[in-house]
Amino acid sequence: MSITGLRLLDQLIHPYDRRWIIEIYGDPRLTLMTAHYVMAYRSVYEKIYVMFNIEFGGLDTLYLTRLCRYFNCDMSNIMISRAFKLDDTIRLLKDLADIRGSLVLLIFPYNHLSKDPLRYADATKVSGLIMRLAHSNQIMIFNTTTRYGRYMPEGGSFHHHIVKIIIRLIDKRESFIAELIKHPIKRNMIISI
């Protein structure tokens, strides 16, 4: 089965194990569009749990509805929750730990971390809960770049070790580039989508 429904992106991800955490990060607009595509595509086959970690926006219901018409997906298979602060993120991740054998999409899971670099260690709480979730579910993280000026995913070294596959999306006006950053079997590569 295809993972994202986007053939070229799936080529970067394969081979994979369902227990591996997959992260797609980069430009927020591209990341959100990809997350919507995965939601619609995978909801045809299974129940999907989605956690948005942004206070407003992010979920484009018109785009999702249009994709669902295209894929003939089941909107009742998409369960969406929203976190408004770090405590909500932690509580929702703990609640999701009760589900088994599902796809869990985490959208910007580190968004509510403190802007103070000394408190950035709070990311370990989020990473630990994501690891716990991955024991019984397939996890896909859709993330932004770090707020500290690097081109790595938000969460950085506190969660880089738990993610098996990392893909960075780069906006190029007419198309976008997907760069394979980390994979346990493959070398880094870049494709234009």
Side-chain angles (χ1 to χ4, degrees):
M1 179 171 96
S2 175
I3 301 162
T4 65
L6 297 163
R7 186 180 52 82
L8 293 173
L9 203 53
D10 286 341
Q11 285 177 1
L12 285 180
I13 294 171
H14 280 288
Y16 84 105
D17 185 299
R18 191 167 166 87
R19 294 167 296 178
W20 292 355
I21 299 172
I22 300 168
E23 178 173 45
I24 298 171
Y25 82 102
D27 175 74
R29 184 185 63 80
L30 274 178
T31 305
L32 284 170
M33 281 177 53
T34 306
H36 282 72
Y37 200 91
V38 172
M39 271 187 255
Y41 177 75
R42 295 288 295 271
S43 69
V44 172
Y45 309 104
E46 63 188 321
K47 194 168 287 278
I48 299 168
Y49 294 87
V50 183
M51 184 174 75
F52 277 93
N53 278 283
I54 43 182
E55 291 178 29
F56 303 103
L59 179 62
D60 186 340
T61 53
L62 293 175
Y63 181 54
L64 186 60
T65 303
R66 200 169 48 214
L67 287 169
C68 274
R69 276 192 220 120
Y70 177 76
F71 289 118
N72 195 25
C73 73
D74 187 354
M75 290 286 265
S76 66
N77 275 347
I78 304 172
M79 308 295 148
I80 297 175
S81 58
R82 188 179 293 270
F84 296 97
K85 57 187 179 199
L86 183 60
D87 292 341
D88 292 343
T89 302
I90 291 169
R91 181 183 49 77
L92 287 170
L93 286 170
K94 286 179 180 176
D95 290 348
L96 286 170
D98 294 335
I99 62 170
R100 300 276 182 268
S102 295
L103 173 62
V104 178
L105 304 182
L106 303 174
I107 317 258
F108 309 150
Y110 299 94
N111 200 36
H112 296 303
L113 293 176
S114 171
K115 301 211 186 309
D116 178 4
L118 297 175
R119 299 230 20 240
Y120 200 63
D122 288 342
T124 58
K125 294 175 190 172
V126 175
S127 296
L129 289 167
I130 291 171
M131 270 298 285
R132 196 165 100 190
L133 258 175
H135 289 298
S136 53
N137 299 287
Q138 182 180 11
I139 307 296
M140 289 187 74
I141 299 172
F142 295 88
N143 209 349
T144 58
T145 53
T146 182
R147 65 189 81 179
Y148 297 113
R150 297 193 202 138
Y151 291 104
M152 63 190 309
E154 190 72 80
S157 60
F158 292 106
H159 97 130
H160 191 77
H161 66 283
I162 70 168
V163 179
K164 291 286 189 188
I165 301 171
I166 300 176
I167 296 172
R168 181 173 153 215
L169 300 179
I170 304 160
D171 192 4
K172 293 290 183 188
R173 292 187 191 203
E174 304 297 318
S175 64
F176 66 94
I177 292 174
E179 179 182 8
L180 182 65
I181 303 292
K182 179 182 178 187
H183 196 290
I185 299 168
K186 292 181 176 178
R187 291 183 172 176
N188 294 10
M189 63 176 70
I190 297 174
I191 60 169
S192 181
I193 297 178

